[in-house]
Amino acid sequence: MKRKVKNYTFSLPIETVDRMREYANEKYIPSVNAGVRKAIEEYSRKLEKEKLNKELRKASRDPLFLRDIDECTNDFDALDAETGRGRDRW
């Protein structure tokens, strides 16, 4: 399935653009556009991880969230014990 795209204009340092052109000319990347897109996608994933970690740290201090985790763990204790006993036979 083809992704929708939107053209957007950025201002980048000349050295960065020149370096990307060099990478494209040397076939390290398919094109400058592809290299910039990949860099933005990777940076976006990094920010998403940071955002998730921030939310997890926040949740780790939330008593209601921690109680919910304890309840879920307790709910599965019996099943975990039951399936854990059969592992030796594998």
Side-chain angles (χ1 to χ4, degrees), residues 22-72:
E22 197 174 302
Y23 295 149
N25 289 338
E26 294 172 359
K27 306 295 185 210
Y28 287 103
I29 57 176
S31 66
V32 172
N33 188 67
V36 171
R37 181 178 51 245
K38 179 78 170 173
I40 290 172
E41 288 170 352
E42 287 181 13
Y43 185 64
S44 180
R45 278 193 291 279
K46 178 182 179 265
L47 291 176
E48 284 298 316
K49 286 181 183 179
E50 288 177 17
K51 183 179 171 183
L52 177 61
N53 283 332
K54 181 179 178 181
E55 291 298 317
L56 288 172
R57 282 191 300 277
K58 182 179 173 185
S60 73
R61 295 184 299 273
D62 182 345
L64 293 175
F65 177 78
L66 294 174
R67 186 172 65 212
D68 186 45
I69 294 294
D70 283 339
E71 288 173 3
C72 287

